[in-house]
């Protein structure tokens, strides 16, 4: 159960979020036309207006009109001019008052099947009305276009009469890129408005729309709009989107091939998006071509959301070790205090983001030269356009992707900063303001808040915040127009309220509700096992290094150096130096079979045995004999140890060497390089055995080299082992160098042979040289 301090923190965060949301809504009611126009006539009014508008153009309505709210002009062929942006260009900041007064935002679309009274051609008429019932945009789609998308033959321009019942000769007729446009001033319009109409061209239908401005101004603007500049603007946007989505698809495929992806949550979100958007999309379709278009658009968005979420969440799980989220406890039905806090905090943060979003658009339109490209609300809520569900999921995925990109860039301490900047660059394109600077500044703040939600409360809070930032505004807007959107209103209101009771339920539960194993994705469990194994191997490697001598022994008249190179897994190579009471030095080099904990334990036992068994009156063979008994007694029945043991009297150079199954020592005198033939069996396994001592005299300039089998068995890229001949050759060349230089030469030649790959087995070299 959440403590008093946490409850107070959640209450404070909720109060802040609600306050910011209220400020944003107040700014929207004061400034944004779609929020100021709260009174909308009923559907029957616009059905009548459709008939009244169609009659002067010579069209007869033959079906029951279909009426719905829309947020922008979507019905005309020519999208060369953004109508809302044009109004701000002409009227400046006062455009907001004019748009609200004229009822242009939101709009009402009325559509019906029609027939021309003059020619009998059938088609569909779509008219976009202001809330005052004034036609703003209209398109007539011939029946052959609805059926097959083939080029139509009609070029009717009678549609202009919907806007000007008395035919008026256009002042200008010009060709802009691929379209022939007619421009005619609308009588008695204040401020001036121009009717821009197009005839059928190819597979485009005739249409017309009202645009604020004079004919001269719009003509100048259109003539300056070249195909190159238009395509450049479009291409920049398309390339940026294409690069983003190609990167997402590549990430998805890479994770899929590496079996590091979880698809269930992405599939649920994709199916939910399709289920919510498909009815509205099909309801707005009147032909099988439009039905196919709606199906492809909705299915495409669902698949896109599935790929995006699966890639983003799986990348987070693959990047952040031990990643956990309250979504896992929700999935397991074990919502507790942590998940409850995440839901409540996410709701509060989402409310704050929604308020800042509206505030940024409202304040932006007060600045001269800044306009809104689109409204702050997208209508219809669940059509083929992005729904609040999709928008919230996209924002969540975007933050997850940029956080992972920041972590992968090795800027671990700066990952939140990197994520904020990267996210703001993408997020700024989604704030409908013509000023990128203002949009980017607002995006920095919004993305920083999302990153804070993730860093402080986790993925559940981020998802909730992103969803609520889109849902809360839409829910309030839908309630203001409940008679127009009753089902979306109920759905959006349910989504907006749902996190609150769930969150309150979670924080009131005991902490142990969330304890226990979570239903993690299979790849996440596999990654955790791999990370745990890697950690254990790293720990074993550190243990192994800790067993090796920290410094080389200093013996007058001798140079002694050693190096042990660890393989990918913790192996069993060891070397050690022990002095006895007679002043002699004992040099040991060995290798414990296998890898892992048993190997490390045997290493420690061997090192401890040497330390306790070496005495002045004993020989190497005696020590090996006793050590064999020790390892048999307390060692693993499947582990054996090879060991070469050399006892050296530094004063005389006399030595005894005994071997227990280890690679033979090598003696180097000038160009004479030979092995000491010491066949034997390793320690700790198999039948009992006896070891023998071999006397050896180390003259001035003589070098003794001890190796582990990792040196000889290292393979190059073609599978050829390093072997003995190459070692013999290099030793003959460097025998007169100091011991450290001999060791370096061997390792350099060995690495040249083996290449950059991590060796498969540990490699240990001990070099002892008597100076002269």
């Amino acid at each position: 159960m959440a403590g008093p301090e946490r409850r107070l923190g959640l209450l404070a965060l909720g109060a802040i979020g609600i306050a910011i949301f209220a400020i944003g809504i107040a700014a929207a009611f004061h400034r944004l036309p779609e929020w100021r126009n709260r009174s909308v006539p009923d559907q029957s009014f616009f059905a009548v207006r459709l008939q009244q508008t169609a009659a002067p153009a010579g069209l007869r309505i033959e079906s029951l009109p279909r009426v719905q709210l829309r947020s922008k002009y979507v019905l005309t062929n020519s999208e060369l001019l953004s109508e809302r942006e044009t109004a701000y260009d002409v009227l400046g900041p006062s455009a907001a008052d004019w748009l609200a007064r004229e009822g242009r935002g939101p709009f009402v679309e009325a559509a019906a099947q029609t027939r021309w009274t003059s020619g009998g051609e059938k088609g569909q008429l779509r008219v976009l009305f202001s809330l005052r019932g004034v036609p703003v945009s209209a398109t007539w789609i011939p029946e052959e276009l609805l059926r097959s998308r083939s080029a139509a033959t009609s070029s009717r321009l009678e549609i202009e009469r919907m806007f000007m019942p008395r035919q008026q000769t256009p002042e200008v007729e010009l060709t802009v890129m691929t379209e022939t446009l007619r421009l005619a001033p609308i009588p008695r319009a204040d401020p001036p408005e121009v009717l821009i109409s197009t005839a059928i061209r190819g597979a485009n239908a005739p249409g017309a729309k009202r645009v604020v401005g004079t004919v001269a101004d719009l003509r100048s603007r259109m003539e300056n709009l070249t195909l190159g500049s238009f395509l450049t603007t479009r291409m920049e946007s398309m390339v940026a989107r294409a690069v983003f989505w190609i990167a997402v698809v590549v990430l998805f495929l890479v994770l899929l091939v590496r079996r590091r992806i979880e698809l269930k949550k992405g599939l649920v979100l994709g199916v939910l998006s399709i289920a919510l958007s498909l009815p509205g999309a099909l309801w707005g379709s009147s032909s099988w071509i439009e039905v196919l278009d709606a199906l492809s658009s909705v299915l495409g968005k669902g698949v896109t959301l599935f790929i995006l979420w699966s890639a983003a969440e799986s990348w987070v799980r693959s990047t952040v070790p031990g990643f956990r989220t309250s979504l896992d406890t929700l999935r397991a039905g074990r919502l507790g205090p942590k998940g409850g806090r995440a839901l409540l905090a996410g709701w509060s943060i989402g409310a704050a983001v929604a308020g800042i979003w509206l505030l940024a658009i409202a304040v932006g339109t007060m600045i001269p030269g800044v306009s809104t490209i689109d409204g702050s609300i997208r209508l219809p809520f669940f059509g083929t356009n992005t729904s609040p569900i999709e928008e919230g999921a996209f924002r969540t995925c975007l933050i997850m992707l940029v956080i992972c990109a920041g972590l992968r860039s090795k800027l671990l301490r700066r990952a939140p900063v990197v994520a904020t900047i990267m996210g703001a660059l993408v997020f700024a394109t989604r704030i409908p303001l013509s000023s990128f600077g203002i949009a980017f500044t607002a995006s920095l703040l919004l993305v920083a808040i999302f990153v804070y939600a993730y860093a402080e409360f986790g993925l559940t809070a981020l998802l909730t915040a992103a969803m609520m930032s889109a849902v809360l505004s839409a829910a309030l807007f839908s309630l203001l127009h409940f008679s127009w959107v009753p089902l979306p209103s109920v759905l959006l209101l349910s989504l907006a309220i749902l996190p609150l009771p769930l969150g309150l339920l979670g924080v009131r539960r005991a902490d142990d509700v969330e304890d226990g194993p979570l239903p993690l994705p299979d790849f996440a469990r596999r990654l955790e096992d791999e990370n745990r194994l890697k950690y254990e191997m790293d720990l074993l490697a550190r243990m192994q290094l800790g067993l090796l001598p920290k410094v080389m022994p200093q013996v007058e008249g001798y140079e002694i150096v050693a190096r042990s190179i660890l393989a990918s897994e913790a192996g069993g190579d060891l070397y050690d130096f022990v002095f006895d009471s007679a002043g002699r030095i004992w040099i040991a080099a060995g290798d414990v079979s296998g890898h892992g904990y048993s190997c490390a334990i045997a290493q420690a036992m061997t090192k401890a045995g040497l330390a306790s068994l070496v005495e002045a009156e004993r020989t190497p063979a005696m020590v090996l004999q006793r050590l064999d008994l020790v390892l048999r007694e307390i060692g693993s029945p499947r582990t054996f140890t090879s060991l070469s043991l050399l006892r050296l009297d530094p004063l005389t150079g006399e030595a005894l060497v005994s071997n227990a199954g280890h690679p033979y020592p090598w003696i180097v005198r000038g160009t004479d390089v030979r092995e000491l033939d010491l066949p034997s069996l390793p320690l700790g396994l198999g039948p009992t055995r006896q070891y023998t001592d071999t006397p050896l005299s180390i003259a001035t300039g003589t070098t003794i080299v001890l190796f582990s089998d990792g040196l000889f068995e290292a393979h190059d890229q073609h599978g050829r082992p390093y072997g003995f001949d190459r070692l013999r050759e290099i030793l003959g060349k460097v025998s007169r160098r100091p011991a450290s230089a001999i060791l370096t030469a061997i390792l350099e030649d060995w690495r040249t042979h083996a290449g950059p790959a991590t060796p498969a087995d540990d490699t240990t070299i001990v070099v002892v040289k008597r100076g002269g």
Side-chain angles (χ1 to χ4, degrees):
M1 183 179 295
E5 292 183 358
R6 287 181 172 177
R7 288 199 293 269
L8 287 175
L10 290 174
L11 287 174
L13 187 61
I16 293 173
I18 293 173
I20 295 176
F21 182 63
I23 293 172
I25 291 295
F29 281 144
H30 174 70
R31 186 70 187 170
L32 303 180
E34 59 268 23
W35 290 90
R36 295 173 65 176
N37 290 313
R38 296 191 289 275
S39 177
V40 181
D42 59 23
Q43 287 91 332
S44 61
F45 169 79
F46 292 99
V48 172
R49 285 294 296 134
L50 181 65
Q51 294 180 343
Q52 296 172 344
T53 302
L59 281 168
R60 183 172 65 249
I61 305 296
E62 294 191 337
S63 67
L64 185 67
R66 186 179 65 248
V67 182
Q68 64 178 328
L69 282 177
R70 283 195 175 272
S71 58
K72 61 182 291 187
Y73 296 12
V74 292
L75 305 180
T76 58
N77 298 325
S78 175
E79 294 296 337
L80 305 180
L81 295 175
S82 170
E83 296 81 0
R84 187 183 290 260
E85 189 173 2
T86 303
Y88 277 93
D89 288 344
V90 174
L91 304 177
S94 63
D97 293 330
W98 179 78
L99 290 169
R101 185 172 63 251
E102 293 295 314
R104 301 194 181 186
F107 302 94
V108 175
E109 175 194 311
Q113 296 300 316
T114 59
R115 183 191 297 269
W116 292 101
T117 56
S118 57
E121 292 177 279
K122 292 183 179 181
Q124 185 183 84
L125 175 66
R126 297 181 180 179
V127 180
L128 201 69
F129 290 99
S130 73
L131 301 186
R132 294 172 55 189
V134 176
V136 176
S137 175
T139 300
W140 183 74
I141 308 174
E143 193 172 44
E144 57 262 39
L145 274 180
L146 290 171
R147 287 200 309 266
S148 62
R149 293 291 191 210
S150 61
T153 57
S154 174
S155 60
R156 293 189 180 272
L157 291 172
E158 291 92 337
I159 198 169
E160 295 173 349
R161 296 177 185 173
M162 297 181 184
F163 302 85
M164 296 179 293
R166 294 184 179 181
Q167 185 65 41
Q168 180 173 338
T169 303
E171 289 190 3
V172 174
E173 186 167 315
L174 69 159
T175 300
V176 180
M177 294 185 295
T178 60
E179 292 188 280
T180 300
L181 306 178
R182 293 158 52 101
L183 279 67
I186 295 179
R188 297 181 297 278
D190 184 23
E193 290 187 78
V194 174
L195 182 67
I196 302 177
S197 55
T198 61
I200 285 182
R201 186 179 181 88
N204 291 331
K209 62 181 177 182
R210 303 166 67 113
V211 178
V212 177
T214 65
V215 172
D217 291 338
L218 293 177
R219 176 181 181 179
S220 175
R221 181 171 178 176
M222 288 183 170
E223 288 177 342
N224 291 330
L225 183 64
T226 64
L227 180 61
S229 63
F230 178 76
L231 291 179
T232 299
T233 303
R234 289 293 180 91
M235 284 300 293
E236 288 175 353
S237 174
M238 291 175 62
V239 167
R241 291 175 180 269
V243 169
F244 174 79
W245 286 112
I246 288 174
V248 170
V249 171
V250 169
L251 174 63
F252 177 86
L253 294 176
V254 168
L255 293 171
L256 187 64
V257 170
R258 297 180 65 187
R259 296 189 302 121
R260 292 191 174 186
I261 197 163
E262 200 265 334
L263 305 175
K264 292 180 181 178
K265 294 189 186 73
L267 184 62
V268 170
L269 282 174
V271 171
L272 180 63
S273 170
I274 293 172
L276 291 175
S277 300
L278 194 57
L282 294 179
W283 184 79
S285 305
S286 55
S287 68
W288 68 270
I289 288 289
E290 290 186 325
V291 168
L292 290 179
D293 285 347
L295 282 173
S296 62
S297 177
V298 171
L299 291 176
K301 288 182 180 296
V303 171
T304 298
L305 184 58
F306 160 70
I307 292 175
L308 181 60
W309 180 271
S310 300
E313 184 193 8
S314 300
W315 201 25
V316 170
R317 290 187 183 274
S318 300
T319 302
V320 182
F323 178 81
R324 290 289 189 276
T325 170
S326 299
L327 292 176
D328 296 326
T329 59
L330 281 171
R331 177 182 170 188
R334 301 207 314 261
L335 179 65
K338 184 178 179 181
R341 289 193 299 271
L343 289 171
L344 295 176
W347 190 94
S348 303
I349 293 170
V353 171
I356 294 172
W357 177 281
L358 293 173
L359 188 62
I361 300 174
V363 173
T365 58
M366 298 179 185
I367 301 173
V370 179
S371 60
T372 56
I373 303 171
D374 194 359
S376 61
I377 295 293
R378 294 189 178 188
L379 295 169
F381 290 118
F382 299 104
T384 55
N385 294 328
T386 302
S387 70
I389 302 297
E390 295 168 6
E391 182 68 20
F394 175 84
R395 295 175 184 180
T396 305
C397 296
L398 174 63
I399 301 303
M400 287 195 291
L401 289 174
V402 297
I403 286 176
C404 280
L407 292 173
R408 290 283 184 171
S409 67
K410 298 183 180 179
L411 299 174
L412 296 180
R413 296 182 180 178
R414 300 179 181 178
V417 177
V418 174
T420 300
I421 295 175
M422 293 172 60
L425 288 173
V426 179
F427 211 79
T429 61
R430 306 181 73 82
I431 296 181
L433 289 173
S434 60
S435 171
F436 181 80
I438 297 175
F440 179 73
T441 302
S443 295
L444 275 176
L445 178 58
L446 296 177
V447 176
I449 294 174
F450 280 133
V451 172
Y452 163 78
Y454 173 79
E456 190 70 19
F457 299 100
L459 180 58
T460 302
L462 172 61
L463 177 60
T464 305
M467 290 289 185
M468 292 304 103
S469 67
V471 167
L472 287 175
S473 299
L476 180 58
F477 187 90
S478 67
L479 289 177
L480 295 175
H481 305 287
F482 183 83
S483 62
W484 280 84
V485 285
L487 290 179
S489 296
V490 173
L491 177 59
L492 289 168
L493 185 61
S494 300
L495 291 173
I497 294 176
L498 182 62
L500 296 178
L502 286 177
L504 292 173
L505 175 65
V507 297
R508 293 179 64 86
R509 285 183 169 180
D511 293 335
D512 58 2
V513 171
E514 295 171 319
D515 294 341
L518 295 175
L520 297 178
D522 292 339
F523 88 91
R525 287 196 296 270
R526 189 174 66 252
L527 281 178
E528 287 195 352
D529 292 340
E530 292 175 0
N531 290 333
R532 183 165 51 252
L533 179 60
K534 182 180 178 182
Y535 172 77
E536 292 175 352
M537 289 299 103
D538 290 342
L539 181 61
L540 285 174
R542 290 194 295 271
M543 290 173 57
Q544 180 183 2
L545 292 175
L547 292 172
L548 300 178
K550 301 296 186 295
V551 294
M552 293 296 103
Q554 300 298 314
V555 180
E556 186 175 354
Y558 294 83
E559 300 173 55
I560 302 176
V561 293
R563 183 79 56 81
S564 186
I565 300 172
L566 301 185
S568 56
E569 296 182 3
D573 277 13
L574 63 94
Y575 62 87
D576 202 4
F577 309 99
V578 181
F579 287 92
D580 61 23
S581 58
R584 291 175 295 199
I585 182 171
W586 296 62
I587 302 170
D591 184 7
V592 179
S593 64
H595 301 276
Y597 284 112
S598 60
C599 178
I601 292 171
Q603 278 181 286
M605 290 167 53
T606 303
K607 182 177 176 68
L610 287 172
S612 61
L613 293 173
V614 167
E615 294 180 359
E617 64 274 11
R618 290 177 178 166
T619 67
M622 296 169 62
V623 171
L624 290 180
Q625 195 74 39
R626 291 176 178 269
L627 187 58
D628 178 53
L629 297 176
V630 171
L631 294 178
R632 288 173 182 273
E633 182 69 24
I634 60 177
S636 168
R638 292 181 297 274
T639 299
F640 60 87
T641 302
S642 66
L643 189 67
S644 281
L645 188 58
L646 173 72
R647 190 189 72 181
L648 171 64
D649 187 340
L651 295 178
T652 64
E654 298 301 318
L656 283 178
V657 60
S658 185
N659 191 47
H662 201 65
Y664 302 157
W666 287 42
I667 307 297
V668 183
R669 294 188 180 95
T671 58
D672 179 25
V673 181
R674 64 184 179 88
E675 293 180 272
L676 287 178
D677 190 7
L678 302 173
S680 59
L681 295 175
L683 307 169
L685 193 64
T688 57
R689 71 287 312 266
Q690 297 292 324
Y691 296 101
T692 60
D693 293 311
T694 301
L696 182 66
S697 180
I698 302 177
T700 300
T702 300
T703 303
I704 297 179
V705 187
L706 303 175
F707 308 93
S708 67
D709 56 6
L711 180 77
F712 308 109
E713 296 174 357
H715 290 76
D716 63 8
Q717 59 181 347
H718 302 294
R720 294 172 298 197
Y722 185 72
F724 299 93
D725 293 338
R726 188 162 176 169
L727 176 63
R728 187 183 306 276
E729 181 181 354
I730 196 69
L731 283 174
K733 291 180 179 179
V734 301
S735 62
R736 290 180 173 82
R737 298 181 186 178
S740 59
I742 294 174
L743 176 61
T744 300
I746 296 171
L747 288 177
E748 287 180 351
D749 187 64
W750 176 73
R751 287 195 177 100
T752 300
H753 172 83
T758 303
D761 195 8
D762 293 350
T763 299
T764 298
I765 305 174
V766 180
V767 180
V768 181
K769 183 172 185 178
R770 186 171 185 181

